[in-house]
């Protein structure tokens, strides 16, 4: 299956914390842990458990960019360097080089200006666990 989501990272499930309705799936990717909050039905249907290969899928519109790491509830925070800024009329696509790989974020041109983003600048990709989908092959 091909997906339109720009961010797709393959890894290994390291933990599944089961709740009554939702669970938190931890996937190790290049030494980083990506947390995903998904339904228990999805966890069971996908057969997610420790050691299973899985792909974290994140739409670029769900990735926030920060130049300083704030105290924030978002579980996923990945340090990187701005690799590219693809300019658009209203939004820009900012790509960060991180340990995960290239993480793309669609943010407003105003945000790019306010954060003073430029190629080579250090920044963080910040993603809520509820914005991370999980797929298996």
């Amino acid at each position: 299956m091909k997906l339109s989501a720009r961010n797709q990272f393959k890894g290994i499930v390291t933990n599944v914390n089961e709740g009554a309705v939702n669970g938190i799936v931890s996937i190790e990717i290049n030494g980083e842990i990506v947390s995903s909050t998904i339904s228990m039905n999805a966890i069971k249907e996908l057969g997610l458990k420790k050691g299973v290969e899985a792909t974290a899928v994140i739409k670029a519109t769900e990735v926030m960019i920060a130049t300083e790491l704030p105290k924030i509830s978002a579980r996923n925070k990945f340090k990187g360097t701005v690799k590219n800024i693809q300019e658009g009329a209203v939004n820009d696509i900012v790509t960060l080089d991180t340990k995960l790989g290239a993480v793309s974020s669609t943010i407003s041109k105003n945000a790019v200006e306010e954060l003073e983003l430029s190629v080579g600048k250090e920044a963080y990709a910040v993603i809520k666990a509820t914005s991370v989908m999980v797929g298996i092959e």
Side-chain angles (χ1 to χ4, degrees):
M1 172 188 296
K2 292 183 180 181
L3 298 172
S4 63
R6 292 179 182 274
N7 301 299
Q8 300 178 37
F9 307 103
K10 290 185 180 185
I12 303 292
V13 174
T14 58
N15 188 50
V16 178
N17 185 358
E18 297 184 2
V21 176
N22 293 323
I24 299 172
V25 178
S26 299
I27 304 171
E28 183 176 348
I29 303 163
N30 298 328
E32 295 274 13
I33 298 294
V34 176
S35 294
S36 173
T37 300
I38 59 175
S39 72
M40 285 306 302
N41 286 343
I43 289 170
K44 298 212 181 310
E45 287 172 12
L46 294 171
L48 297 174
K49 60 185 176 187
K50 188 174 182 174
V52 170
E53 290 185 10
T55 301
V57 179
I58 309 152
K59 291 180 62 174
T61 53
E62 297 297 318
V63 179
M64 294 173 277
I65 299 293
T67 53
E68 296 178 22
L69 200 53
K71 287 187 178 185
I72 191 168
S73 64
R75 299 291 78 200
N76 301 296
K77 300 172 270 262
F78 306 106
K79 185 177 182 179
T81 304
V82 176
K83 176 182 177 180
N84 186 46
I85 300 174
Q86 182 181 342
E87 295 187 21
V90 177
N91 294 320
D92 291 347
I93 299 171
V94 177
T95 304
L96 295 184
D97 264 338
T98 71
K99 286 185 183 179
L100 288 179
V103 177
S104 292
S105 172
T106 301
I107 60 175
S108 71
K109 293 184 81 53
N110 288 345
V112 170
E113 290 173 16
E114 287 170 8
L115 293 171
E116 299 177 348
L117 296 177
S118 60
V119 172
K121 184 167 184 170
E122 189 175 276
Y124 296 86
V126 180
I127 309 141
K128 290 181 60 165
T130 53
S131 296
V132 179
M133 295 173 277
V134 178
I136 60 167
E137 290 187 32

